Amino acid sequence: MSRPTEIRISISESKGPHMGSVVRDVDENGVEFEYQTIGTATACPGCGKVPLNGSLITKIFGTWWHDRCGAKHLRQMGADQAWLALGMQLERNPNRFTHAETKAIVRNLLKIAHAKSLLGDEPDPADDEIDVGLRQILGGS
């Protein structure tokens, strides 16, 4: 029996919270004015702290986490959800994963898709022709 493939999550370096900036503009009457934009500081859902400049972060389902908080979150969620999150990371940054990691992620996503297809979640008959053609090839009908 082969040893399970270890999967590393995709890691980026945080640029830190963005400070607001002063914008100078001219209104429709030619009068100059300025305003200050609001900075952004999204807190990590795991620890509630804002990642500082240079912190290692990972994106899970559209939200940035500290790398360790994200890894912990992936270990605690359901297996299917974790594989879907890794699949999203693979799609976003395929070069950050090794060949073996890519194969493991795709293999598990295919298992999820296969299990879902066995549950009878067939699309409506009005769905696109590609799906109808695929069902004819797979089902022989």
Side-chain angles (χ1 to χ4, degrees):
M1 181 174 216
S2 65
R3 184 174 173 205
T5 303
E6 277 191 30
I7 310 291
R8 298 169 295 130
I9 59 176
S10 180
I11 302 292
S12 298
E13 192 172 299
S14 174
K15 305 272 190 266
H18 301 284
M19 304 306 284
S21 60
V22 175
V23 177
R24 291 179 178 81
D25 206 350
V26 178
D27 69 12
E28 64 274 356
N29 298 322
V31 177
E32 291 185 23
F33 68 97
E34 66 181 44
Y35 61 94
Q36 185 161 354
T37 62
I38 299 172
T40 59
T42 305
C44 168
C47 65
K49 297 177 182 173
V50 175
L52 301 175
N53 188 25
S55 299
L56 297 179
I57 55 176
T58 188
K59 195 171 195 179
I60 300 173
F61 294 121
T63 303
W64 288 103
W65 298 67
H66 286 105
D67 61 334
R68 291 180 186 208
C69 295
K72 180 180 178 184
H73 180 63
L74 281 174
R75 285 191 296 273
Q76 292 174 341
M77 69 174 53
D80 287 358
Q81 290 296 308
W83 285 115
L84 290 170
L86 289 168
M88 292 172 87
Q89 288 188 351
L90 175 64
E91 183 269 333
R92 192 172 44 254
N93 294 307
N95 59 331
R96 292 193 178 177
F97 292 91
T98 66
H99 180 72
E101 290 170 331
T102 299
K103 281 179 62 175
I105 292 169
V106 171
R107 185 180 320 110
N108 282 286
L109 291 175
L110 289 171
K111 286 179 186 176
I112 293 167
H114 179 69
K116 182 139 178 85
S117 71
L118 295 177
L119 294 175
D121 287 342
E122 282 292 319
D124 293 333
D127 279 350
D128 65 311
E129 294 172 21
I130 294 173
D131 181 60
V132 172
L134 183 59
R135 278 189 279 149
Q136 287 175 349
I137 291 168
L138 295 176
S141 55

